[in-house]
Amino acid sequence: MDTARGALSKASPVSKVPATRTSDLAQQVATRPLPSTARRLRRGGVANVVVMTVAAGIVGTLAIPAYAFAPGSEGPQFGTSAETALTKAQAQTVEVTDDVIAAPVTKDSFSATTGEEIRAAAEAAAAAEAARQAAEAQMASYAAGYSGLSADELAASPVYGSADPASVFAVAQQYLGVPYVYGGATPAGFDCSGLVKYVYAQFGISLPHSSASQAAAGTQISESQAVPGDLVVMPGHIGFYAGNGMILHAPYEGTVVRTQPIWTSDYYIVRI
C-alpha cells in the first residue's frame, strides 16, 4: 500500500495554486464576453418570461367581473342587502303610515256639450226655421192679396211732394192696424223697416230695407228737436216718432202697426 501511494505521488504530482490567483481567475471568467450562442439563449429566456407575464395579465383581466369596471360599482345595486333582495322580488307590499300627506290632485277644467243641450239647440233651430217659413208664407199670402205698387215703384213715381216730417207722419198713420209680416213692405203686411221704406217711397225717397241703413241715410238730431215724422232708431228696430215719447211702428210678429210709448232709453232720433 505504501509502495502504491508512493508510486502515485511520483506519477501525478499536484501543484498548488495560490488563493489570489483563484479569485483573479473567477473574475476574468465573469467578465469575459459570452459566446454568441450563449447570448442568444440568454435573450430567448428573457423574452419567454416577458411573454408569459403579459399573457398572465390578459387572462387575469378577462377573469375580472364586468361590474368591476362600471362606475359606481360599489353602489347598493351590487350588494346583497335585504333591500336589494326586495327590489328584485316580483310581488311587493308597501305600507304607508297615516301621517303621510297626500299630494294634491288637480285636473283640467273643461265643459262639454251634453246630449240634452244638443237636442235643445236642434229643437230651437227647427222652431226658428218653422217660424221663418210661416212668415214667408204669410208675406206671400198678403202679397197675393195686394195689387198696388211696390215701394220701389212708388219711389220712381212719387205720390207726394215735400217730405217734411208732418207730411210723412200723416201718411204713416194711414197704415195703423196693418199686420206685422216679416220682410213685408206693402200695405199687405209690414215689418218695421218695411213700413218706413214704403212711407218714404211715396215721397220719392228710396230707402234700403234695413233699420241700420235707414238710420245712416238721415241726420241725427237731439231728442228735444224731434217732431212727429222723424225716425226713432233702436238696436235692430226703427219707427216713426209720434210725439210725447211715443212711437208709431210695426212691432213684431203677431201684432199690427200701432202707436205706443217708447219702452227703452237706448234710442236716438234721425231726420231724413
Side-chain angles (χ1 to χ4, degrees), residues 44-213:
V46 173
N48 290 338
V49 171
V50 171
V51 170
M52 292 175 66
T53 303
V54 172
I58 294 174
V59 172
T61 301
L62 294 176
I64 298 176
Y67 62 77
F69 295 97
S73 59
E74 69 280 358
Q77 65 271 31
F78 297 100
T80 57
S81 64
E83 292 80 3
T84 304
L86 281 175
T87 59
K88 295 179 180 180
Q90 294 183 357
Q92 300 181 33
T93 301
V94 179
E95 294 184 1
V96 181
T97 59
D98 295 337
D99 58 350
V100 173
I101 300 175
V105 178
T106 60
K107 64 179 181 179
D108 295 334
S109 59
F110 66 94
S111 59
T113 303
T114 64
E116 185 63 31
E117 291 173 334
I118 294 175
R119 285 190 295 273
E123 291 173 358
E129 176 61 18
R132 185 195 68 77
Q133 292 178 1
E136 185 177 354
Q138 184 185 35
M139 183 175 64
S141 175
Y142 280 114
Y146 176 72
S147 58
L149 297 177
S150 68
D152 292 334
E153 291 171 337
L154 284 172
S157 301
V159 178
Y160 305 106
S162 175
D164 61 276
S167 299
V168 169
F169 185 69
V171 172
Q173 287 180 303
Q174 297 176 12
Y175 304 106
L176 290 171
V178 173
Y180 177 95
V181 176
Y182 177 79
T186 71
F190 291 115
D191 63 11
C192 64
S193 57
L195 172 63
V196 173
K197 176 180 176 68
Y198 191 81
V199 169
Y200 272 100
Q202 297 180 60
F203 292 89
I205 299 174
S206 180
L207 294 176
H209 196 162
S210 162
S211 59
S213 299

Side-chain angles (χ1 to χ4, degrees), residues 1 10 14-15 125 143 158 203 214 231 234 238:
M1 181 67 85
K10 291 178 180 180
V14 178
S15 60
F203 292 89
Q214 289 174 354
L231 296 179
M234 304 175 185
I238 197 167

